[in-house]
Amino acid sequence: MGDSLVDSGDVRTVVTQAVVALREVAGQDWQAPAGDLDWSCWETVEHVADDLFAYAGQLAAEEPPTDRYVPFGYRRSRPAAPALTVYVDPEHGVDGLLQVLDAAGGLLAAVVRSSPASRRAFHPYGISDASGFAAMGVVEVLVHLHDLARTMTFRWTPEADVCARVLRRLFPDAPSGFEPWPALLWATGRTELPGHPRQTSWRWQGDVLSAGR
């Protein structure tokens, strides 16, 4: 399905779809746990925005670090909460939360679009390129919206093409013969597939070498 590269347009499209879906449930309980996570629905969206920002930050420098994260400061609002650099002023409510998510997606899309093909940056799952960081951002949005949809009442079924390209880029060893969206949920420990029990631990392959480039 399509080219194997995940690009800035995919980041922008998926984030926009997420914002639209979440606006439909703005009046629901955002402090309830998101699916099986220890995080609330609010904290989960903050985490996604934070990851999109962090991936943009990793890739944005003229000479990105290849041995560590860019040392942005971070904090936890409570012991079980995600560690965040980007968090949202609660006074601005769900509208503010979704604006931060949208803005962070725009930052990653812009950095991916402007990065030269030769640029590489650190991630603990492999030194990666712009397409790799785009895929990481997309998978964070896709699977965490699934977590949110398990608690909130909205439909979330991503397009098969983008799921297939994310699988090829980050999960090349995922089992074949399944639809891309269920396969991606399996690869990220969210579900089981026939003959493949739900994973209790998982990671993607972010390095450029695993992508065949």
mmCIF file of all heavy atoms in Angstrom, residues 5 8-9 11 15 21-22 31 38 62 71-72 91 95-96 105-106 113 116 118-119 134 146 179 181 187 194 213:
data_model
loop_
_atom_site.group_PDB
_atom_site.id
_atom_site.type_symbol
_atom_site.label_atom_id
_atom_site.label_comp_id
_atom_site.label_asym_id
_atom_site.label_seq_id
_atom_site.Cartn_x
_atom_site.Cartn_y
_atom_site.Cartn_z
ATOM 1 N N LEU A 5 7.698 5.174 2.875
ATOM 2 C CA LEU A 5 8.036 6.302 3.724
ATOM 3 C C LEU A 5 6.799 6.872 4.419
ATOM 4 O O LEU A 5 5.729 6.962 3.838
ATOM 5 C CB LEU A 5 8.693 7.409 2.910
ATOM 6 C CG LEU A 5 10.094 7.135 2.352
ATOM 7 C CD1 LEU A 5 10.540 8.327 1.512
ATOM 8 C CD2 LEU A 5 11.087 6.880 3.466
ATOM 9 N N SER A 8 5.730 14.076 6.452
ATOM 10 C CA SER A 8 5.131 15.171 7.211
ATOM 11 C C SER A 8 3.633 15.258 6.985
ATOM 12 O O SER A 8 2.868 15.613 7.894
ATOM 13 C CB SER A 8 5.795 16.498 6.827
ATOM 14 O OG SER A 8 5.607 16.782 5.444
ATOM 15 N N GLY A 9 3.185 14.948 5.759
ATOM 16 C CA GLY A 9 1.758 14.973 5.492
ATOM 17 C C GLY A 9 0.992 13.959 6.321
ATOM 18 O O GLY A 9 -0.133 14.225 6.758
ATOM 19 N N VAL A 11 1.856 12.966 9.350
ATOM 20 C CA VAL A 11 1.790 13.531 10.700
ATOM 21 C C VAL A 11 0.651 14.538 10.793
ATOM 22 O O VAL A 11 -0.195 14.474 11.692
ATOM 23 C CB VAL A 11 3.119 14.197 11.088
ATOM 24 C CG1 VAL A 11 3.006 14.893 12.453
ATOM 25 C CG2 VAL A 11 4.249 13.176 11.116
ATOM 26 N N VAL A 15 -2.809 13.844 13.051
ATOM 27 C CA VAL A 15 -3.065 14.731 14.180
ATOM 28 C C VAL A 15 -4.385 15.476 13.981
ATOM 29 O O VAL A 15 -5.178 15.614 14.921
ATOM 30 C CB VAL A 15 -1.891 15.707 14.386
ATOM 31 C CG1 VAL A 15 -2.254 16.788 15.408
ATOM 32 C CG2 VAL A 15 -0.648 14.963 14.841
ATOM 33 N N ALA A 21 -11.689 14.031 16.197
ATOM 34 C CA ALA A 21 -12.348 12.966 16.962
ATOM 35 C C ALA A 21 -12.492 13.348 18.428
ATOM 36 O O ALA A 21 -13.544 13.110 19.040
ATOM 37 C CB ALA A 21 -11.548 11.668 16.825
ATOM 38 N N LEU A 22 -11.460 13.950 18.993
ATOM 39 C CA LEU A 22 -11.494 14.283 20.419
ATOM 40 C C LEU A 22 -12.419 15.461 20.710
ATOM 41 O O LEU A 22 -12.983 15.544 21.812
ATOM 42 C CB LEU A 22 -10.085 14.564 20.920
ATOM 43 C CG LEU A 22 -9.160 13.339 20.945
ATOM 44 C CD1 LEU A 22 -7.742 13.743 21.307
ATOM 45 C CD2 LEU A 22 -9.678 12.283 21.914
ATOM 46 N N GLN A 31 -10.683 12.912 33.188
ATOM 47 C CA GLN A 31 -9.858 12.436 34.303
ATOM 48 C C GLN A 31 -9.969 10.924 34.488
ATOM 49 O O GLN A 31 -9.270 10.342 35.311
ATOM 50 C CB GLN A 31 -10.236 13.158 35.594
ATOM 51 C CG GLN A 31 -10.006 14.663 35.548
ATOM 52 C CD GLN A 31 -8.608 15.031 35.068
ATOM 53 O OE1 GLN A 31 -7.607 14.485 35.560
ATOM 54 N NE2 GLN A 31 -8.530 15.953 34.115
ATOM 55 N N ASP A 38 -2.317 3.769 33.183
ATOM 56 C CA ASP A 38 -2.421 4.415 34.490
ATOM 57 C C ASP A 38 -2.683 5.906 34.356
ATOM 58 O O ASP A 38 -2.929 6.584 35.360
ATOM 59 C CB ASP A 38 -1.134 4.196 35.287
ATOM 60 C CG ASP A 38 -0.919 2.747 35.671
ATOM 61 O OD1 ASP A 38 -1.921 2.035 35.866
ATOM 62 O OD2 ASP A 38 0.249 2.317 35.767
ATOM 63 N N GLU A 62 20.698 21.686 13.719
ATOM 64 C CA GLU A 62 21.520 21.483 12.521
ATOM 65 C C GLU A 62 22.374 20.229 12.662
ATOM 66 O O GLU A 62 22.602 19.493 11.693
ATOM 67 C CB GLU A 62 22.413 22.708 12.287
ATOM 68 C CG GLU A 62 23.095 22.739 10.932
ATOM 69 C CD GLU A 62 22.103 22.917 9.793
ATOM 70 O OE1 GLU A 62 21.056 23.535 10.002
ATOM 71 O OE2 GLU A 62 22.394 22.436 8.688
ATOM 72 N N PRO A 71 18.404 17.881 25.986
ATOM 73 C CA PRO A 71 18.103 17.936 27.429
ATOM 74 C C PRO A 71 17.045 18.965 27.839
ATOM 75 O O PRO A 71 17.279 19.827 28.684
ATOM 76 C CB PRO A 71 19.463 18.253 28.049
ATOM 77 C CG PRO A 71 20.178 19.046 27.002
ATOM 78 C CD PRO A 71 19.737 18.437 25.680
ATOM 79 N N PHE A 72 15.854 18.858 27.242
ATOM 80 C CA PHE A 72 14.739 19.649 27.736
ATOM 81 C C PHE A 72 14.401 19.198 29.157
ATOM 82 O O PHE A 72 14.482 18.012 29.478
ATOM 83 C CB PHE A 72 13.494 19.466 26.854
ATOM 84 C CG PHE A 72 13.649 19.939 25.442
ATOM 85 C CD1 PHE A 72 13.641 19.035 24.386
ATOM 86 C CD2 PHE A 72 13.779 21.285 25.154
ATOM 87 C CE1 PHE A 72 13.771 19.470 23.073
ATOM 88 C CE2 PHE A 72 13.909 21.726 23.843
ATOM 89 C CZ PHE A 72 13.909 20.821 22.804
ATOM 90 N N GLU A 91 -6.675 25.700 33.022
ATOM 91 C CA GLU A 91 -7.664 26.768 32.916
ATOM 92 C C GLU A 91 -8.222 26.908 31.501
ATOM 93 O O GLU A 91 -9.308 27.433 31.309
ATOM 94 C CB GLU A 91 -7.054 28.099 33.359
ATOM 95 C CG GLU A 91 -6.765 28.181 34.856
ATOM 96 C CD GLU A 91 -6.311 29.566 35.266
ATOM 97 O OE1 GLU A 91 -6.295 30.464 34.389
ATOM 98 O OE2 GLU A 91 -5.973 29.746 36.453
ATOM 99 N N ASP A 95 -10.404 22.582 25.028
ATOM 100 C CA ASP A 95 -10.015 23.350 23.838
ATOM 101 C C ASP A 95 -8.524 23.648 23.851
ATOM 102 O O ASP A 95 -7.842 23.519 22.826
ATOM 103 C CB ASP A 95 -10.801 24.655 23.761
ATOM 104 C CG ASP A 95 -12.233 24.462 23.289
ATOM 105 O OD1 ASP A 95 -12.538 23.362 22.784
ATOM 106 O OD2 ASP A 95 -13.041 25.400 23.445
ATOM 107 N N GLY A 96 -8.002 24.037 25.007
ATOM 108 C CA GLY A 96 -6.576 24.300 25.113
ATOM 109 C C GLY A 96 -5.746 23.043 24.936
ATOM 110 O O GLY A 96 -4.684 23.062 24.288
ATOM 111 N N GLY A 105 1.774 18.675 16.789
ATOM 112 C CA GLY A 105 1.788 17.957 15.522
ATOM 113 C C GLY A 105 2.302 18.812 14.382
ATOM 114 O O GLY A 105 3.062 18.340 13.527
ATOM 115 N N GLY A 106 1.911 20.083 14.388
ATOM 116 C CA GLY A 106 2.412 20.995 13.363
ATOM 117 C C GLY A 106 3.911 21.192 13.438
ATOM 118 O O GLY A 106 4.597 21.279 12.408
ATOM 119 N N ARG A 113 9.398 17.907 7.372
ATOM 120 C CA ARG A 113 9.365 18.421 6.003
ATOM 121 C C ARG A 113 10.663 19.155 5.648
ATOM 122 O O ARG A 113 11.147 19.063 4.514
ATOM 123 C CB ARG A 113 8.169 19.359 5.828
ATOM 124 C CG ARG A 113 7.977 19.844 4.395
ATOM 125 C CD ARG A 113 6.636 20.550 4.244
ATOM 126 N NE ARG A 113 6.475 21.654 5.182
ATOM 127 C CZ ARG A 113 5.614 21.647 6.202
ATOM 128 N NH1 ARG A 113 4.841 20.597 6.422
ATOM 129 N NH2 ARG A 113 5.519 22.692 6.998
ATOM 130 N N PRO A 116 16.903 17.554 5.987
ATOM 131 C CA PRO A 116 17.545 16.859 4.864
ATOM 132 C C PRO A 116 17.520 15.347 5.073
ATOM 133 O O PRO A 116 17.466 14.863 6.212
ATOM 134 C CB PRO A 116 18.976 17.400 4.898
ATOM 135 C CG PRO A 116 19.186 17.890 6.284
ATOM 136 C CD PRO A 116 17.850 18.359 6.775
ATOM 137 N N SER A 118 19.749 13.251 4.896
ATOM 138 C CA SER A 118 20.932 12.720 5.586
ATOM 139 C C SER A 118 20.887 12.926 7.100
ATOM 140 O O SER A 118 21.738 12.380 7.816
ATOM 141 C CB SER A 118 22.186 13.406 5.043
ATOM 142 O OG SER A 118 22.117 14.813 5.237
ATOM 143 N N ARG A 119 19.930 13.711 7.615
ATOM 144 C CA ARG A 119 19.917 14.029 9.045
ATOM 145 C C ARG A 119 19.530 12.799 9.871
ATOM 146 O O ARG A 119 18.608 12.075 9.547
ATOM 147 C CB ARG A 119 18.965 15.180 9.328
ATOM 148 C CG ARG A 119 18.976 15.624 10.796
ATOM 149 C CD ARG A 119 18.284 16.965 10.984
ATOM 150 N NE ARG A 119 19.039 18.025 10.326
ATOM 151 C CZ ARG A 119 18.607 19.278 10.196
ATOM 152 N NH1 ARG A 119 17.402 19.619 10.667
ATOM 153 N NH2 ARG A 119 19.344 20.191 9.609
ATOM 154 N N ALA A 134 8.765 10.771 11.905
ATOM 155 C CA ALA A 134 7.378 10.949 11.487
ATOM 156 C C ALA A 134 6.561 9.709 11.846
ATOM 157 O O ALA A 134 5.444 9.814 12.373
ATOM 158 C CB ALA A 134 7.306 11.215 9.987
ATOM 159 N N HIS A 146 -6.525 5.045 20.294
ATOM 160 C CA HIS A 146 -7.190 3.769 20.588
ATOM 161 C C HIS A 146 -7.408 3.606 22.088
ATOM 162 O O HIS A 146 -8.493 3.202 22.526
ATOM 163 C CB HIS A 146 -6.345 2.620 20.046
ATOM 164 C CG HIS A 146 -6.795 1.265 20.504
ATOM 165 N ND1 HIS A 146 -7.874 0.616 19.949
ATOM 166 C CD2 HIS A 146 -6.313 0.440 21.467
ATOM 167 C CE1 HIS A 146 -8.037 -0.551 20.547
ATOM 168 N NE2 HIS A 146 -7.117 -0.688 21.480
ATOM 169 N N GLU A 179 -4.926 -7.498 8.649
ATOM 170 C CA GLU A 179 -5.183 -6.108 8.295
ATOM 171 C C GLU A 179 -4.223 -5.201 9.057
ATOM 172 O O GLU A 179 -3.852 -5.496 10.203
ATOM 173 C CB GLU A 179 -6.629 -5.742 8.614
ATOM 174 C CG GLU A 179 -7.656 -6.385 7.693
ATOM 175 C CD GLU A 179 -7.484 -5.932 6.259
ATOM 176 O OE1 GLU A 179 -7.325 -4.715 6.020
ATOM 177 O OE2 GLU A 179 -7.494 -6.797 5.368
ATOM 178 N N TRP A 181 -4.345 -2.241 10.639
ATOM 179 C CA TRP A 181 -4.678 -1.635 11.932
ATOM 180 C C TRP A 181 -4.648 -2.656 13.069
ATOM 181 O O TRP A 181 -3.996 -2.419 14.088
ATOM 182 C CB TRP A 181 -6.003 -0.915 11.837
ATOM 183 C CG TRP A 181 -6.527 -0.273 13.089
ATOM 184 C CD1 TRP A 181 -7.801 -0.336 13.552
ATOM 185 C CD2 TRP A 181 -5.831 0.569 14.033
ATOM 186 N NE1 TRP A 181 -7.953 0.390 14.710
ATOM 187 C CE2 TRP A 181 -6.753 0.962 15.034
ATOM 188 C CE3 TRP A 181 -4.523 1.024 14.131
ATOM 189 C CZ2 TRP A 181 -6.407 1.769 16.119
ATOM 190 C CZ3 TRP A 181 -4.169 1.844 15.211
ATOM 191 C CH2 TRP A 181 -5.101 2.199 16.185
ATOM 192 N N ALA A 187 1.271 -5.112 17.470
ATOM 193 C CA ALA A 187 2.695 -4.756 17.571
ATOM 194 C C ALA A 187 2.968 -3.826 18.736
ATOM 195 O O ALA A 187 4.086 -3.802 19.270
ATOM 196 C CB ALA A 187 3.160 -4.118 16.256
ATOM 197 N N PRO A 194 -5.017 -13.872 15.941
ATOM 198 C CA PRO A 194 -5.090 -15.334 15.878
ATOM 199 C C PRO A 194 -3.699 -15.960 15.775
ATOM 200 O O PRO A 194 -2.925 -15.635 14.860
ATOM 201 C CB PRO A 194 -5.918 -15.584 14.608
ATOM 202 C CG PRO A 194 -6.781 -14.372 14.492
ATOM 203 C CD PRO A 194 -5.931 -13.234 14.960
ATOM 204 N N ARG A 213 17.558 1.622 4.474
ATOM 205 C CA ARG A 213 18.141 2.806 3.838
ATOM 206 C C ARG A 213 19.452 3.159 4.539
ATOM 207 O O ARG A 213 19.666 2.817 5.686
ATOM 208 C CB ARG A 213 17.185 4.005 3.941
ATOM 209 C CG ARG A 213 15.879 3.764 3.223
ATOM 210 C CD ARG A 213 15.132 5.062 3.014
ATOM 211 N NE ARG A 213 14.785 5.702 4.287
ATOM 212 C CZ ARG A 213 13.797 5.316 5.076
ATOM 213 N NH1 ARG A 213 13.063 4.277 4.763
ATOM 214 N NH2 ARG A 213 13.535 5.926 6.198
#
